[in-house]
Every structure is written in structure tokens, then in C-alpha cells.
Amino acid sequence: MTLVVNQVMVFAPIAKIKTRLVLLASFLFIGSILFGCGQADSSRESVTLSGPTMGTSYHITLVAEAGESFGFDREELQKTVDDELEIINQVMSTYIEDSELMRFNRAPVDEWVELSEPLMHVLNISEDVSQRSEGAFDITVGPLVNLWGFGPEMRPEVVPSDDQLAEALALTGHDKLQLDVTRARRTAPIFVDLSAVGKGYGVDWVAKVLRERGFTNFMVEIGGEVKVSGVSPRGSPWRIAVEQPTALGGSARLALELDGKAVATSGDYRNYFEVDGVRYSHTIDPATGRPITHNLASVTVIADTAAHADAWATALNVLGPEKGLALANAEQLAVYMIVKDNDGFTDLRSVTFSQYAP
Ligand code: ADP
Ligand code: MG
């Protein structure tokens, strides 16, 4: 029973933060009650780390090998993780005025700028998803994000005028960002914003650091984007829940069993504003410059990297259920969508997704 209490306490804060993927605390609880008696010796020692990052928070659970205990210095590891996340923020945050990305955003138009490996890496991932999604994913939507009041400028929640929209659209387009091997340039005064891929990239970064430190069993989560490796404290694959798409959240709609995979969810049921009964999402359709309006409540993507899962979740969220699912199947992506309809919600699954939740 101690195991049950520990696990519930360990995972409880995760359900409270602004996440859309929750660990299955309740499932662990029920599972342990039903099947757990006499299995206490199959549990593993685990250590959790957490802290603030990227305007949200991170949570890490590390799990020891069966019958072994951890010998590392927890405080030292926490400091390493915090330092590494600080490095990533200093590279790609648009909330830090002198971050590498913000300096790039201020560099003269047409001038090539040598960039660090992580910044080039995340820009390349973004460009790849942009091209494959025909521009639905676009890291240059910054001016539109700001205009609609979701960016660092935090404008009041008002609907912009057509003139303002046209002006911001003219400063948008991933084709105005050119990437060379170690350098990049803006061919117009665009503003690059990595909000839709940065948390995923941060998760991959921390996971890499943990692997280099010799950890094989872990879960890393930043703001709802998750990566898992090996086994959970129960000694079996990690179970990640896709949350019900309600503003309250918290309850599980679907359980995913994952190993060595990342999962991200994009949905507008948390981050939006309302004017005259119309809901404005923080996800912008780069084709129109306006927040998306279709009936897709959330889209969950499973991928090898959290950066890809994160970016694709946003891309498919822009495309909506029909186009999004068609593209997911064409690209062989593992995708789960929750769509609003008259009676509530219905689910859509890509072909590849079936292997994770038949
Ligand atoms: P979600 O989890 O809902 O996808 P993210 O935090 O991953 O949310 O991404 C949302 C952020 O991405 C927005 O706040 C905005 O800065 C940016 N964004 C909005 N629309 C797009 C888009 N079409 N392509 C890339 N980034 C976008
Ligand atoms: Mg995203």
C-alpha cells in the first residue's frame, strides 16, 4: 500500500499543472488495488525532480533497476537539469530579450547569422514539419500571435482589424526564413517564435542528458509534452493518459502504453479568449492569419522525439480533423483526435496509432 500512496502523491501535481497529458495516477491506484497485493517487491525505487521552466513547469521521474537503489546526488542532478534547461531557454526563448533567437530576430534582414547547434536543430525540425504540413506549422506566425494577444507582448484580448491582420500577414511566412548548414537568415523582417516546438525540444534535451548520465528508466515532462524510456516505478511500461477535453481536465479519456516514445497534445480548450461568445484559440492558421475555428478539441501525436510530436500536434490542430487525419495517414504518424460534435465528443485514430491503443 505504501507503493500506491507514493505513486499517487508523486503523480498528483502533474494533473494540476497546465497539461493535457496526465500520468495515470488513478489507473495505478486501481491497478494496484486489484492486482497489487503481494507485488510490493516488483516495485522500483524512484526519484522525482521538478521546477519551473518555459513559462510552465517540468517534472521528471527516474526509476532504478529492479532490486537496485540509486546512488546519485539528487541535488547535483537537479542543478544539472536546471542548468541545461536554462541553456535551452537562453537559446530559443522569445521571452528573454537577449536569447540567441531574439538576437537572430533583430539581426539585419538578408544577413546570414551563424547559429548554435540546438537552434539550427530546432529550426530544421520546424522547417521539416512546415513543409510536410504545407505551411500549417509555421514558426514565423509571431506577429499574428502577438496581434491576437497570445505572445510576449500580451496585448488586451480584442479582435484585430483587417488592416492590422494584413500588416501582420505580410510579415509572416516560413519561406522568408532560410537555413544553411550552420547559419540562417531572414529575407524579410519576420519574427521567429518557437513556442509550439520548444517545450518538446526541451524534453528531448533533458532526456538526452539523463541518458548520458546512464539513466534508462525515466519520464520527462514539460508543460504536458512527455517522453518516456524503459519502465515506470511499477516495473512495467509507462502509461500516459490523454485527458478529457474539458476546461477542467484531470480525468483520463484514453491510456497509452509507451516505451522510448514521446507524446504531445495540442488543443484549444485551455488557452483561448472569448469575445461576444466566439472562442479564439492560441493556434493560428497561417493561411488566414486567424485563430483556428474548426471542431477539433484536441490532437495527440506519438513520435520518436518530443519536438516532432509537439510540432506535429500544432500542425494537425491547424489543419483540423479531415485534412489533419488524411495527412497523418499519408505521413504514417500515430495520431489521436478528439472532435466536438452535437452529442459531445468522438474519437479519430490514424492507422499507425492503433498499435498504441487498439
Ligand atoms: P498547443 O499545446 O496547444 O499546441 P503549444 O504551446 O505547443 O500549444 O503551441 C502554441 C503556441 O504556438 C502559440 O501560443 C503560438 O505562440 C504558437 N503558434 C500558434 N499557431 C502556430 C502555428 N500555426 N505554427 C506554429 N506555431 C504556432
Ligand atoms: Mg505544440
Side-chain angles (χ1 to χ4, degrees), residues 14-289:
I14 292 172
K16 290 202 193 93
I17 62 169
K18 190 194 141 233
T19 90
R20 289 128 292 181
L21 289 164
V22 285
L23 282 163
L24 282 174
S26 56
F27 280 49
L28 285 171
F29 189 77
I30 293 164
S32 303
I33 293 287
L34 293 178
F35 313 112
C37 295
Q39 290 186 355
D41 55 354
S42 69
S43 67
R44 311 282 191 100
E45 182 184 319
S46 64
V47 170
T48 62
L49 305 173
S50 61
T53 190
M54 300 185 177
T56 173
S57 51
Y58 74 83
H59 296 86
I60 297 169
T61 302
L62 300 159
V63 181
E65 294 304 323
E68 291 180 17
S69 41
F70 280 134
F72 66 90
D73 180 342
R74 190 175 183 283
E75 265 173 38
E76 192 263 340
L77 187 67
Q78 172 99 49
K79 189 172 180 317
T80 302
V81 168
D82 287 335
D83 289 351
E84 292 287 344
L85 284 168
E86 187 129 358
I87 290 171
I88 285 301
N89 271 299
Q90 197 55 46
V91 167
M92 60 184 64
S93 174
T94 46
Y95 292 80
I96 300 174
E97 269 309 305
D98 73 340
S99 72
E100 188 183 354
L101 179 62
M102 286 303 274
R103 280 182 279 126
F104 175 69
N105 276 330
R106 286 193 298 267
V109 165
D110 287 332
E111 189 176 294
W112 286 101
V113 183
E114 287 290 323
L115 296 178
S116 68
E117 217 179 293
L119 190 50
M120 283 308 297
H121 190 194
V122 73
L123 290 175
N124 275 302
I125 292 170
S126 302
E127 180 55 22
D128 180 44
V129 176
S130 288
Q131 286 184 8
R132 286 157 67 186
S133 67
E134 286 176 17
F137 186 77
D138 192 327
I139 54 174
T140 71
V141 295
L144 293 160
V145 172
N146 282 335
L147 192 61
W148 288 96
F150 293 108
E153 288 178 24
M154 296 295 255
R155 284 169 183 244
E157 298 184 342
V158 290
V159 178
S161 70
D162 286 352
D163 283 354
Q164 284 176 306
L165 258 182
E167 206 178 302
L169 265 172
L171 296 173
T172 307
H174 66 105
D175 54 317
K176 301 181 179 83
L177 172 68
Q178 293 183 349
L179 306 177
D180 194 7
V181 183
T182 59
R183 55 187 198 154
R185 69 170 175 176
R186 307 175 308 145
T187 60
I190 53 167
F191 179 88
V192 177
D193 168 5
L194 295 168
S195 304
V197 61
K199 285 176 295 204
Y201 195 80
V203 167
D204 292 332
W205 189 266
V206 172
K208 184 167 143 271
V209 169
L210 295 176
R211 267 196 304 275
E212 283 165 5
R213 288 292 193 101
F215 294 103
T216 52
N217 306 310
F218 55 79
M219 185 273 306
V220 180
E221 179 260 352
I222 302 178
E225 327 299 14
V226 181
K227 184 158 199 178
V228 294
S229 171
V231 295
S232 77
R234 291 172 299 128
S236 52
W238 292 93
R239 285 197 228 168
I240 307 294
V242 179
E243 211 181 357
Q244 291 286 7
T246 62
L248 291 173
S251 68
R253 184 176 180 89
L254 185 78
L256 305 173
E257 276 205 1
L258 303 174
D259 180 10
K261 292 282 176 186
V263 55
T265 292
S266 183
D268 75 341
Y269 50 94
R270 288 283 172 73
N271 204 341
Y272 63 89
F273 70 89
E274 247 178 61
V275 175
D276 297 334
V278 180
R279 186 186 272 213
Y280 294 92
S281 160
H282 73 153
T283 300
I284 306 287
D285 182 349
T288 63

Side-chain angles (χ1 to χ4, degrees), residues 325-347:
L325 192 67
L327 182 62
N329 282 326
E331 291 280 340
Q332 296 185 316
L333 299 168
V335 174
Y336 173 68
M337 292 174 167
I338 305 176
V339 183
K340 277 174 262 180
D341 63 20
N342 296 338
D343 309 325
F345 296 100
T346 49
D347 306 14

